[in-house]
Amino acid sequence: MTSNRTFTMIKPDAVSNGHIGNIINDITSSGFKIIAMKYLHLTQSQAENFYGIHRERPFFKDLVSFMISGPIVAAILEKDNAVEDFRTLIGATNPENAAEGTIRKKYAKSIDANAIHGSDSNENADIESNFFFSSFERF
Ligand code: UDP
Ligand code: MG
């Protein structure tokens, strides 16, 4: 994957609070093109594997429980400088610290239920996209 793609998930809190449409609108009106998208409910082992890098962190168990508490939307997005620009669009991990107008500022309630995921590097964007999508599910 090239540096113009990133991976996102709309997390269970934002899905259950009815924000899918508003968040997708924020994403596409910020210039991101949707390359692939699916609506699914993660299993415990999928959530543990996806967040495996955080396995030793104190919040890991709660994070996994939260991520399997309801369905999510997973997507691959394309734009110049996608990873960095998307992290700017979503805002800080803790919505209390997120800039005005960012997705987490608008739709997240707390540091754990923070509405949306965005890859933090090109390498992780590639790994995370491959976790959810096969090559023939991308356009
Ligand atoms: N998280 C949490 N408590 C913390 C830090 C993180 O519950 O103290 C959760 C939160 O949902 C976050 C995810 O773990 O989005 C991954 O953490 P990371 O530091 O990678 O933040 P992100 O890259 O999502 O901003
Ligand atoms: Mg992260």
Side-chain angles (χ1 to χ4, degrees):
M1 185 181 292
T2 51
S3 60
N4 62 352
R5 290 191 177 185
T6 192
F7 172 80
T8 188
M9 288 184 289
I10 302 174
K11 295 185 180 182
D13 59 319
V15 171
S16 68
N17 290 331
H19 297 313
I20 293 176
N22 287 329
I23 290 174
I24 292 174
N25 187 50
D26 284 0
I27 291 170
T28 54
S29 62
S30 299
F32 291 88
K33 182 180 165 196
I34 296 167
I35 299 300
M37 179 169 274
K38 57 176 71 162
Y39 183 64
L40 73 153
H41 197 147
L42 287 169
T43 66
Q44 178 158 337
S45 67
Q46 284 174 325
E48 286 171 353
N49 287 333
F50 185 86
Y51 280 114
I53 193 164
H54 295 308
R55 204 173 287 275
E56 306 305 325
R57 308 276 290 276
F59 57 83
F60 180 71
K61 214 164 161 248
D62 289 343
L63 173 60
V64 169
S65 301
F66 164 65
M67 288 303 298
I68 66 172
S69 66
I72 61 150
V73 176
I76 302 174
L77 305 173
E78 187 172 271
K79 182 185 178 297
D80 288 347
N81 200 34
V83 165
E84 192 184 342
D85 286 1
F86 194 70
R87 293 289 298 201
T88 302
L89 177 65
I90 70 177
T93 307
N94 186 343
E96 283 180 22
N97 304 328
E100 245 5 276
T102 60
I103 290 173
R104 282 170 167 165
K105 184 69 173 188
K106 290 201 277 186
Y107 306 113
K109 296 269 186 287
S110 64
I111 190 170
D112 46 314
N114 63 358
I116 192 159
H117 169 82
S119 305
D120 62 6
S121 66
N122 292 331
E123 188 193 0
N124 283 335
D126 203 8
I127 292 167
E128 292 169 2
S129 297
N130 290 333
F131 188 92
F132 282 93
F133 298 98
S134 60
S135 56
F136 53 83
E137 292 174 309
R138 300 166 191 201
F139 301 98

